[in-house]
Amino acid sequence: MAAFEERDGPLFFGRDREARVVLDHVYASRLTVLSGPSGVGKTSLLEAGVAYRVHQTPGRTAVVFRDWQGDVVGNLKRAIGAEVARVAGVPTADPDDSALATYASRFAPVLDVPLVLLLDQFEEYFVFHPATQRVDLLTMDSRTFPVALMHLLAQPECPIHVLIAIREDALAMLQRLAGSMAAVLRSYIQLQHLKPAAAIDAVEGPLEAFNRSRPGDEPIRLEPGLAEDVVKRLQSESIDADLAVPEATSQAVGGVDDIQVDVSVQAPYLQLVMQRLWAEEVGRGSNTLRRASLRRMGSVPQIVGDHIDRSLARLNRSDREIAARIFQYLVTPDGSMQALGVGTLAFYTELPDDRIASVVERLCRSDMRVLRPLAASGIDGGERDARYEVFYRALVPGILDWRWRHVGEQQLTRGRWMVVGVALLAMVASELTPGFPGALLTLARSTGLLLVHAVLLQQVYAWFYRFVVALPGGHTLSAHRISFVGGVLGAVLGLLWLSVTQWPAGCRSIGDLTSAGYAWNYLMLMPTMLVGSVAFLAMRAAGRFALRVAHVRFSTGFLTAYIAIVGASAALTAYALLGRWPANANIEILQPSVISDCAELAVPE
Ligand SMILES: Nc1ncnc2c1ncn2[C@@H]1O[C@H](COP(=O)(O)OP(=O)(O)OP(=O)(O)O)[C@@H](O)[C@H]1O
Ligand SMILES: [Mg+2]
């Protein structure tokens, strides 16, 4: 989900026209503003489109700058000095105490063409410097960044042209610097989401470039029509209200089966779908990305959901709980995002500030990119702490869905333990009650064992999932595959556990069991416990189905208990069916009396 970097230039497609437009503007005017919604591709365009192109021409200079913390002017001087030194072959000038404009004008003699200064994530400047006031060139300290920038732009022979890239929701903040939007918007570019033709280019182009970069190796191919399928799918399953297709338009161009020329595609979704397809195919050793695999991958919302699941699975249990609590406020149920500070989140959730801060910080890191800091806005010009919001709007549906399931699964887990407790109590009660009917006793014992087995499986599965996702590259594995392997592993461990705990006291080897005539009975534990595993998987699937598809709300443990009991009954039915084994086998293998019989019979001292 990361933005493209300059070194990814050869793999960056779909933004040719935009890169040219930006370059034309930047060379023609001292200040250009580029804005667009979250995740539209501003950073990628500046890095892999604009800076990459500038550096293709010898002697041209460009700096992408986004180091907004601390001494911004000092950071800027260092970045500019290093770039000029690298390209023009002059020694790096020391970033002394001089004003930015004075420092930069030194380079006029060595720069034939102006240096392109691309100020990316400009909204973050306001996060780290929340007290920024409207610039007053006469009274403000000329070492502060806003004043230094204004001086730089005002100096006639300064060889630097500036582009400010800013998220459109923070655009109004620029007013604080310029005093009037008209001043900054004289050269203004609004970046739009990818048009369908550009999106197809963004799917096909990188692969061709990748294949060209490794001539000796077998090329990775796209099945014909795959790129179109991806685009159609992103158009028809677009989750963002901004891009929703008006019904009349979709019918006019032939419904969702055709590519709709006027419906754009969001780059983050495109990345997620292609990344997933690549992991499914190339990860499996195939060299063709196929349409059938795309169809099997599920809907776009599911793919987004998997991505969120895997990112959040890397948090520990208590941090996940905090994440679920803060998402409740960062994303509203109708899907709009709210930007909130740590203090506000702590107030709402009644959790300590430092716990919230550490989880928020983790969710902002580059291996997650679930949240990001946003410009702080001071009410009445007062300072407030930095606010955080969801990284790309495209992730909102996945986060809502994750939170929904997280809460439901917490309840399911509580419910499962409750059912196990009841089953164990029933077991003990039936053991202690004289004259309790034999068949019911067996039922109570078997149910108890199966449920304990099921809960253990669930725990093993959860550990396994977290372990795999935390491995390097683990988060790119398919969730279905991890689930399957986790389920099998849990089943095997469960079987081992039962084999050991049910081993008849006194029997020392399989030979002892065989000579006592109980080997067959003992072996029957295996299918019985497999049935237990299947019952567990069925319970889990039923719970997930209820949460994901039917959107059932678990306000009480009722449904949980229901699912558990249905699962256990299904298992017992299968157990009874499997009970058609040879007449000499004893169905009451799980009863301690049988086991002690075995011990008496089998152990010749
Ligand atoms: N031309 C493209 N082709 C394929 N993927 C793209 C393209 N442009 C952007 N992306 C992907 O879209 C996502 C968002 O891109 P990027 O970070 O550049 O957006 P942004 O506008 O800078 O977002 P923000 O407002 O959060 O800073 C990234 O995953 C990036 O890889
Ligand atoms: Mg960006």
Side-chain angles (χ1 to χ4, degrees):
M1 285 299 279
F4 281 78
E5 293 175 24
E6 185 177 334
R7 59 163 189 246
D8 304 319
L11 299 174
F12 185 64
F13 286 83
R15 290 295 197 190
D16 275 352
R17 201 182 67 83
E18 288 85 346
R20 262 184 282 119
V21 169
V22 169
L23 278 171
D24 288 350
H25 274 70
V26 170
Y27 281 123
S29 117
R30 295 290 301 276
L31 174 66
T32 304
V33 174
L34 171 82
S35 113
S38 147
V40 72
K42 300 178 290 298
T43 301
S44 305
L45 174 64
L46 296 189
E47 287 270 357
V50 178
Y52 176 75
R53 276 161 206 243
V54 170
H55 285 143
Q56 293 298 94
T57 314
R60 295 222 170 174
T61 46
V63 171
V64 186
F65 180 87
R66 62 177 78 84
D67 199 358
W68 297 115
Q69 242 169 318
D71 172 18
V72 176
V73 174
N75 298 342
L76 253 178
K77 286 204 271 190
R78 266 186 292 278
I80 294 171
E83 171 70 357
V84 177
R86 195 181 61 77
V87 177
V90 295
T92 314
D94 251 352
D96 47 29
D97 256 1
S98 61
L100 179 64
T102 319
Y103 179 79
S105 55
R106 282 184 204 165
F107 302 124
V110 291
L111 294 174
D112 301 331
V113 181
L115 179 144
V116 174
L117 179 57
L118 305 164
L119 303 177
D120 190 25
Q121 310 297 146
F122 201 82
E123 63 280 353
E124 287 181 10
Y125 174 76
F126 301 100
V127 175
F128 295 114
H129 307 275
T132 306
Q133 299 294 314
R134 178 181 291 197
V135 176
D136 182 342
L137 292 180
L138 294 179
T139 58
M140 275 178 81
D141 183 348
S142 67
R143 277 165 307 181
T144 62
F145 167 69
V147 180
L149 181 65
M150 292 301 147
H151 280 260
L152 183 81
L153 293 170
Q155 186 151 8
E157 68 285 2
C158 182
I160 292 187
H161 285 198
V162 177
L163 176 138
I164 289 178
I166 187 164
R167 271 164 74 161
E168 71 185 8
D169 45 354
L171 196 55
M173 303 265 177
L174 284 184
Q175 206 150 357
R176 288 207 223 156
L177 298 189
S180 106
M181 286 303 282
V184 278
L185 295 189
R186 234 171 272 147
S187 176
Y188 175 65
I189 303 168
Q190 191 177 23
L191 192 60
Q192 311 277 354
H193 290 292
L194 291 167
K195 292 280 172 243
I200 290 180
D201 204 19
V203 172
E204 293 175 343
L207 201 65
E208 282 160 22
F210 176 74
N211 288 333
R212 274 200 304 278
S213 73
R214 43 204 277 289
D217 295 327
E218 199 176 351
I220 308 287
R221 286 179 234 281
L222 287 180
E223 188 183 338
L226 178 100
E228 286 78 5
D229 274 6
V230 169
V231 170
K232 274 187 257 175
R233 170 173 268 220
L234 289 170
Q235 287 183 324
S236 62
E237 293 174 9
S238 182
I239 319 165
D240 194 321
D242 292 354
L243 301 182
V245 200
E247 221 157 295
T249 325
S250 73
Q251 279 163 6
V253 291
V256 289
D257 284 345
D258 292 322
I259 288 191
Q260 299 159 45
V261 282
D262 52 351
V263 179
S264 302
V265 163
Q266 291 203 47
Y269 289 141
L270 185 85
Q271 280 294 350
L272 275 178
V273 169
M274 292 311 293
Q275 224 168 294
R276 180 69 186 280
L277 193 59
W278 182 274
E280 298 264 313
E281 294 278 15
V282 181
R284 235 190 21 215
S286 147
N287 64 349
T288 308
L289 308 187
R290 282 161 310 148
R291 300 167 76 181
S293 309
L294 176 71
R295 279 194 295 274
R296 267 202 311 274
M297 268 166 34
S299 65
V300 176
Q302 268 167 10
I303 295 169
V304 176
D306 276 351
H307 167 76
I308 296 285
D309 283 10
R310 278 177 238 172
S311 303
L312 292 169
R314 278 181 255 164
L315 296 180
N316 65 29
R317 196 202 234 354
S318 69
D319 285 357
R320 264 204 312 274
E321 186 54 43
I322 294 178
R325 305 259 306 263
I326 62 180
F327 286 150
Q328 188 176 2
Y329 302 99
L330 291 172
V331 187
T332 62
D334 66 352
S336 27
M337 303 196 296
Q338 290 206 79
L340 299 171
V342 168
T344 315
L345 287 169
F347 173 77
Y348 283 154
T349 54
E350 297 177 5
L351 290 166
D353 278 39
D354 55 335
R355 293 289 288 125
I356 303 256
S358 87
V359 172
V360 161
E361 191 263 330
R362 185 85 179 77
L363 291 171
C364 286
R365 274 197 231 156
S366 62
D367 60 335
M368 294 253 189
R369 292 179 206 276
V370 173
L371 297 185
R372 54 174 298 138
L374 179 81
S377 84
I379 295 172
D380 303 331
E383 277 192 29
R384 272 187 29 191
D385 57 354
R387 294 181 300 158
Y388 296 86
E389 73 172 15
V390 173
F391 201 100
Y392 297 126
R393 212 190 133 118
L395 301 180
V396 165
I399 290 177
L400 277 176
D401 186 55
W402 176 83
R403 199 182 161 273
W404 172 268
R405 280 178 292 115
H406 175 83
V407 172
E409 275 170 23
Q410 301 284 85
Q411 282 161 338
L412 274 180
T413 308
R414 270 198 296 276
R416 253 192 305 259
W417 284 113
M418 208 173 71
V419 171
V420 169
V422 171
L424 289 177
L425 273 179
M427 269 170 86
V428 173
S430 56
E431 296 290 347
L432 298 180
T433 313
F436 200 82
L440 283 179
L441 194 63
T442 310
L443 186 77
R445 282 174 183 154
S446 316
T447 312
L449 269 174
L450 285 176
L451 288 172
V452 172
H453 183 212
V455 172
L456 283 177
L457 278 183
Q458 130 109 15
Q459 199 48 54
V460 169
Y461 170 81
W463 285 331
F464 177 79
Y465 189 90
R466 247 168 270 153
F467 171 74
V468 172
V469 170
L471 289 177
H475 61 284
T476 58
L477 293 175
S478 138
H480 298 307
R481 208 167 297 168
I482 305 179
S483 298
F484 178 73
V485 178
V488 171
L489 185 79
V492 169
L493 289 180
L495 275 174
L496 284 177
W497 176 75
L498 276 158
S499 313
V500 172
T501 53
Q502 293 303 305
W503 188 264
C507 288
R508 296 221 180 91
S509 65
I510 304 243
D512 289 349
L513 283 178
T514 320
S515 58
Y518 279 95
W520 175 244
N521 294 14
Y522 189 71
L523 276 181
M524 283 319 290
L525 271 178
M526 302 292 163
T528 309
M529 289 311 134
L530 272 181
V531 171
S533 310
V534 172
F536 154 72
L537 291 175
M539 273 160 66
R540 201 181 154 79
R544 298 215 144 187
F545 177 85
L547 286 169
R548 256 187 200 269
V549 183
H551 280 223
V552 174
R553 242 178 231 287
F554 296 105
S555 52
T556 64
F558 173 77
L559 192 68
T560 311
Y562 174 77
I563 292 168
I565 288 162
V566 170
S569 318
L572 286 166
T573 313
Y575 184 96
L577 290 174
L578 281 170
R580 295 164 183 274
W581 55 68
N584 68 340
N586 193 333
I587 196 170
E588 292 177 335
I589 181 75
L590 297 177
Q591 295 195 29
S593 60
V594 175
I595 291 169
S596 52
D597 285 355
C598 169
E600 277 162 29
L601 280 169
V603 191
E605 279 304 319

